[in-house]
Amino acid sequence: MAQETVVKRVQLAIRLFVLVSFLGWILIWIMMPTNTFTQTWMPPYTAKTNSTYFGAAGGDILLYTFPVLLAATLGCVYIHLAKTLNDSNVESNRNAKKRESTIWKRPMLTKGPLGIVSATELVFLLMFIALLVWTFIISIQISFAGITAESAAEDGCTIWEEKLSTAASIFGVVGNICLAFLFFPVARGSCMLPLLGLTSENSIKYHVWIGHMTMLLFTFHGICYIIVWAAIHKISSMLEWNNTGISIVAGEIALLSGLFLWIATIPCVRRKCFELFFYSHHLYILFMVFFGFHVGVSGIFFILPGFYLFLVDRCLRFLQSRRQVRLVSARVLPCEAVELNFSKGYGLTYNPTSVMFVNVPSISKLQWHPFTITSNSNLERDKLSVVIKSEGTWTKKLYQLLSPPSTVDHLVVSVEGPYGPVSTNYLRHDTLVMVSGGSGITPFISIIRELIYLNTTFKYKTPKVVLICAFKISSSLSMLDLILPISDNPSDISTMELQIEAYITRDKELKANGPIHPKTIWLKPNPSNAPIQAILGPNSWLWLAAIISSSFIIFLILIGIITRYYIFPIDHNTNQIFSSSLNAFLNMLVICVSIVSVASVGFLHNKKNNAKEAKQIQNLEGSTPTTSPNSTVYNEDRELESFPYQSLIHATNVHYGVRPDLRRILLEHKGSSVGVLASGPKIMRQEVATICSSSLAENLHFESISFSW
């Protein structure tokens, strides 16, 4: 108990420090366009931080980059401590979650271009837009006040041309603010999202919002300059790549690559040409490199924190993706879906609704697709499962590879992840109503399995679960079979309050001429295939903290040496002699080298420990004939007469030829706290969100689970 008190105090201290650091960072952004910041604060600060080791960039590193990376490092420690407390005291954690307020999570907007937006999200979005507007207006006011006919004439411009040129520059500065936040939501393994109670899956929409703002501002930035150059007959300026200062050609290359990427994100283009969208997104590398050449070293550190965390995450994902994993079996469903069952290390844990990215080189060496994990890391300690519905080109090819009459007995697969919430709060509700459409049922399978585990292992009184699932055809009822995991000792669900209402919208009755139960195929993985394991081991958050801090320290040491003994003797901190592009290149190169080297050391260290566990798992699988057969076998060996399966049947009501009346079903639940989760088509989720946001549904607490990836 004393140790728990100490841990909580350390957590509180970290939380306060991170909060203060974040507020201070935001304060800098707010004050940046003002005369107080530029004329009063910065001159003495720059004088003190300008050194022979870092030059003028030293102040930028300390002001913009260091606070966020320090907060990220401490945030990793905080999450590690929180995970330790959650594992050791599940009951107190459960009671604490019951006291959480969800008023700010209620949907405020349910339709429109922003999708489903909660009150908290709307407030922060408006605050962010206010920051952009504030920066633009204050900068315009201060800059325009100094523009006169004489000052414009000195630059060979009229007043309106000088003002438009100034506005163009300010558009770029405001765009940099957006770029500074752009990569935080897509750093899947970063601690910044969990600290805010977010997941990478649900945060993709923030990346989309900020991405649109970024490209809109940068487009205005470029267009305004082109108009000015055309007006003053200096269109040749577009071809300038100056040795020092701003490189115009680099900015144009960055803008063009960003525009192509932006066009590929248009919804109709993304739907019809997903591969174009997928591959064009790799242009972010070209965009960021030439952005660095364009703005120079100071501009790099201005936007570096989010991108730095993204690079760390991307490097670790790359290292993980190089390994082939053990796919031991698959369950082929008659509704053209397949459940892949992988071997898993015992130390790998994850929470319900987590996702994992899957790559099958025999289908595409470059494409990675995210799928919801349906297994439970506590209930199935040696297996990890994902369900894949045959809907697109890639998924159809996978289904054909594994379904009869195919005789495939081995499939090469690589994965990234899992990624998901650090903790869940489903136990705080009295009732859980889950509304799904089609393959949207997969996140709910993982939640139900988690509740089964808590009910059977800890004897908790879990919330009443009402699963409302809509399918087009009756063969999709086989998805319900996946609620019960493959196990020699099936879990008893009779003590759970489980009610399943399945709606078949197209078929009027059950078709008797087709199978409705899954078929299992056992595969023969290669000895070199490894179980899915935590890339940084069981203490992954501590390792991540070490990688972030160590790589940044190494970067500071290396760039300090380069600046002191290579750049400074040439430039003497004047920024007028040494090539700005070369300086930016050196900084970007050292950042990448520092991250890759430290992340590789962490990966290789944990790989040795993981290899020992992998050998034990292989030996265990080798001694169990049911999980490692000598040949590929299709069977239906589920114990259809088992008590758990019969309990599942008794809990299920099937309605043919109708759609669920969601408004009536949801408003029927009068409990004090009813959690409503929606997963599936966008229209369905919006309908559920609209019902939950009405004044008649004060007891309904809505959460959307989308497939934004």
Side-chain angles (χ1 to χ4, degrees):
M1 187 61 69
Q3 183 180 2
E4 182 180 334
T5 303
V6 172
V7 169
K8 287 184 176 180
R9 287 177 178 175
V10 172
Q11 279 189 291
L12 179 61
I14 293 176
R15 199 165 189 170
L16 289 174
F17 182 85
V18 171
L19 178 62
V20 171
S21 299
F22 177 75
L23 293 178
W25 195 57
I26 296 298
L27 178 63
I28 292 171
W29 293 104
I30 294 173
M31 295 300 296
M32 194 179 301
T34 65
N35 284 328
T36 301
F37 183 84
T38 57
Q39 297 178 13
T40 305
W41 292 359
M42 288 306 292
Y45 173 78
T46 303
K48 291 180 180 179
T49 56
N50 196 349
S51 68
T52 58
Y53 287 94
F54 301 105
D60 297 322
I61 295 173
L62 186 61
L63 196 62
Y64 302 116
T65 304
F66 176 74
V68 179
L69 295 187
L70 178 59
T73 301
L74 294 176
C76 291
V77 177
Y78 177 90
I79 295 174
H80 173 78
L81 295 175
K83 187 172 180 292
T84 303
L85 285 179
N86 288 343
D87 292 342
S88 62
N89 200 345
V90 181
E91 180 64 31
S92 64
N93 186 53
R94 173 176 181 258
N95 294 333
K97 287 174 180 175
K98 282 197 170 187
R99 297 191 295 268
E100 287 182 358
S101 172
T102 58
I103 185 171
W104 287 98
K105 296 183 180 180
R106 292 182 66 84
M108 292 289 290
L109 303 177
T110 57
K111 297 180 181 179
L114 297 181
I116 302 171
V117 182
S118 69
T120 303
E121 291 171 332
L122 186 60
V123 168
F124 276 95
L125 176 61
L126 293 176
M127 289 171 61
F128 186 74
I129 293 174
L131 173 63
L132 302 183
V133 173
W134 159 266
T135 303
F136 184 80
I137 291 177
I138 298 300
S139 299
I140 285 287
Q141 287 179 346
I142 294 174
S143 300
F144 279 15
I147 296 177
T148 62
E150 291 77 13
S151 63
E154 290 178 2
D155 295 329
C157 303
T158 62
I159 290 180
W160 77 265
E161 291 166 348
E162 185 76 5
K163 287 185 176 180
L164 184 59
S165 177
T166 301
S169 177
I170 294 171
F171 275 126
V173 172
V174 179
N176 289 347
I177 297 176
C178 294
L179 190 59
F181 287 86
L182 182 63
F183 288 94
F184 283 113
V186 288
R188 300 173 194 164
S190 169
C191 71
M192 302 305 282
L193 297 178
L195 278 176
L196 299 173
L198 302 172
T199 64
S200 56
E201 166 69 13
N202 291 331
S203 300
I204 287 298
K205 61 183 176 183
Y206 311 142
H207 176 72
V208 173
W209 296 348
I210 298 173
H212 287 314
M213 295 180 199
T214 303
M215 288 313 306
L216 189 65
L217 290 164
F218 283 158
T219 302
F220 286 157
H221 171 70
I223 289 175
C224 289
Y225 267 123
I226 292 173
I227 293 173
V228 172
W229 292 330
I232 63 177
H233 307 292
K234 289 186 177 180
I235 202 71
S236 60
S237 298
M238 295 180 64
L239 303 178
E240 292 181 359
W241 189 310
N242 298 321
N243 186 57
T244 59
I246 298 295
S247 171
I248 296 173
V249 173
E252 291 162 355
I253 295 174
L255 180 59
L256 289 174
S257 58
L259 285 173
F260 189 82
L261 186 156
W262 192 25
I263 292 171
T265 64
I266 297 173
C268 61
V269 176
R270 178 177 177 173
R271 283 194 299 268
K272 295 179 181 179
C273 308
F274 178 79
E275 290 193 1
L276 175 65
F277 162 80
F278 179 81
Y279 294 124
S280 66
H281 245 64
H282 292 84
L283 287 172
Y284 80 86
I285 301 172
L286 193 67
F287 175 87
M288 292 303 297
V289 169
F290 281 92
F291 172 84
F293 290 150
H294 177 60
V295 299
V297 174
S298 294
I300 290 174
F301 294 115
F302 194 77
I303 58 92
L304 182 61
F307 191 60
Y308 193 96
L309 295 176
F310 172 79
L311 287 177
V312 171
D313 177 69
R314 190 67 191 87
C315 181
L316 292 172
R317 283 160 43 197
F318 175 80
L319 292 171
Q320 184 186 22
S321 67
R322 297 306 92 191
R323 305 179 66 184
Q324 297 177 4
V325 296
R326 294 178 66 82
L327 177 62
V328 294
S329 69
R331 284 203 280 182
V332 182
L333 280 67
C335 60
E336 296 192 350
V338 60
E339 180 189 58
L340 303 181
N341 298 298
F342 299 92
S343 177
K344 178 184 80 71
Y346 298 123
L348 176 63
T349 59
Y350 48 86
N351 283 307
T353 71
S354 294
V355 297
M356 184 173 70
F357 285 73
V358 178
N359 171 260
V360 181
S362 59
I363 300 176
S364 173
K365 288 182 170 60
L366 297 178
Q367 289 190 36
W368 291 80
H369 293 266
F371 300 101
T372 306
I373 298 174
T374 54
S375 55
N376 179 268
S377 60
N378 296 309
L379 199 62
E380 303 148 276
R381 297 189 65 239
D382 60 345
K383 294 290 184 294
L384 185 150
S385 305
V386 296
V387 175
I388 301 173
K389 186 77 168 67
S390 178
E391 293 178 334
T393 303
W394 189 92
T395 52
K396 286 179 180 178
K397 289 180 180 179
L398 177 64
Y399 182 79
Q400 291 167 0
L401 274 176
L402 294 171
S403 58
S406 172
T407 57
V408 170
D409 64 353
H410 172 71
L411 196 61
V412 176
V413 181
S414 297
V415 301
E416 290 180 4
Y419 307 105
V422 174
S423 61
T424 55
N425 57 357
Y426 305 117
L427 288 179
R428 66 186 173 85
H429 298 296
D430 301 317
T431 304
L432 277 178
V433 181
M434 307 176 186
V435 184
S436 70
S439 58
I441 192 176
T442 53
F444 300 149
I445 293 174
S446 66
I447 295 173
I448 292 175
R449 289 190 184 183
E450 171 73 6
L451 296 176
I452 291 174
Y453 167 73
L454 293 175
N455 181 266
T456 55
T457 305
F458 294 99
K459 306 302 179 183
Y460 282 163
K461 186 182 186 305
T462 52
K464 177 183 178 181
V465 177
V466 180
L467 175 61
I468 303 165
C469 45
F471 304 110
K472 291 180 181 179
I473 54 178
S474 56
S475 62
S476 296
L477 289 172
S478 57
M479 297 284 283
L480 298 178
D481 281 21
L482 302 181
I483 291 176
L484 296 178
I486 297 177
S487 175
D488 295 332
N489 300 304
S491 302
D492 182 10
I493 63 171
S494 61
T495 57
M496 286 183 60
E497 290 186 80
L498 177 62
Q499 176 186 346
I500 302 175
E501 302 293 335
Y503 292 81
I504 311 300
T505 57
R506 288 186 181 176
D507 293 346
K508 302 298 181 181
E509 58 183 6
L510 178 65
K511 291 187 177 181
N513 58 348
I516 62 170
H517 298 297
K519 295 182 179 180
T520 301
I521 171 175
W522 296 103
L523 301 172
K524 296 185 290 185
N526 289 334
S528 59
N529 295 158
I532 299 176
Q533 296 167 304
I535 184 173
L536 295 177
N539 296 318
S540 57
W541 287 111
L542 291 182
W543 271 101
L544 183 58
I547 290 172
I548 294 172
S549 56
S550 301
S551 61
F552 187 61
I553 291 171
I554 291 174
F555 160 72
L556 293 177
I557 294 173
L558 293 178
I559 205 63
I561 294 172
I562 292 172
T563 303
R564 177 63 183 86
Y565 296 103
Y566 177 50
I567 299 176
F568 180 77
I570 299 173
D571 193 79
H572 299 288
N573 283 353
T574 63
N575 296 324
Q576 300 297 322
I577 303 173
F578 194 84
S579 170
S580 299
S581 299
L582 179 56
N583 195 356
F585 172 76
L586 290 173
N587 276 268
M588 290 187 287
L589 178 63
V590 174
I591 287 171
C592 293
V593 168
S594 302
I595 291 174
V596 170
S597 58
V598 175
S600 298
V601 169
F603 170 76
L604 292 174
H605 176 83
N606 284 281
K607 184 179 179 180
K608 292 181 180 179
N609 297 332
N610 288 340
K612 297 177 183 178
E613 185 185 40
K615 188 66 177 177
Q616 295 174 353
I617 293 173
Q618 286 187 25
N619 294 336
L620 182 62
E621 289 178 354
S623 64
T624 310
T626 57
T627 59
S628 183
N630 294 323
S631 60
T632 302
V633 180
Y634 289 92
N635 55 58
E636 294 186 43
D637 56 1
R638 170 181 288 282
E639 296 289 342
L640 298 181
E641 301 301 324
S642 67
F643 183 66
Y645 188 74
Q646 291 302 313
S647 298
L648 184 65
I649 292 176
H650 293 152
T652 305
N653 298 313
V654 183
H655 311 268
Y656 292 96
V658 294
R659 297 179 180 275
D661 184 350
L662 295 177
R663 184 175 183 82
R664 176 187 61 79
I665 294 172
L666 293 176
L667 295 180
E668 279 180 350
H669 294 278
K670 303 298 183 182
S672 59
S673 178
V674 179
V676 179
L677 291 79
S679 173
K682 181 179 179 180
I683 295 177
M684 183 211 71
R685 288 185 286 110
Q686 289 178 336
E687 180 184 356
V688 175
T690 302
I691 296 170
C692 293
S693 62
S694 69
S695 58
L696 299 176
E698 295 293 334
N699 64 325
L700 302 183
H701 306 290
F702 174 79
E703 180 179 343
S704 174
I705 301 175
S706 65
F707 299 96
S708 303
W709 286 114

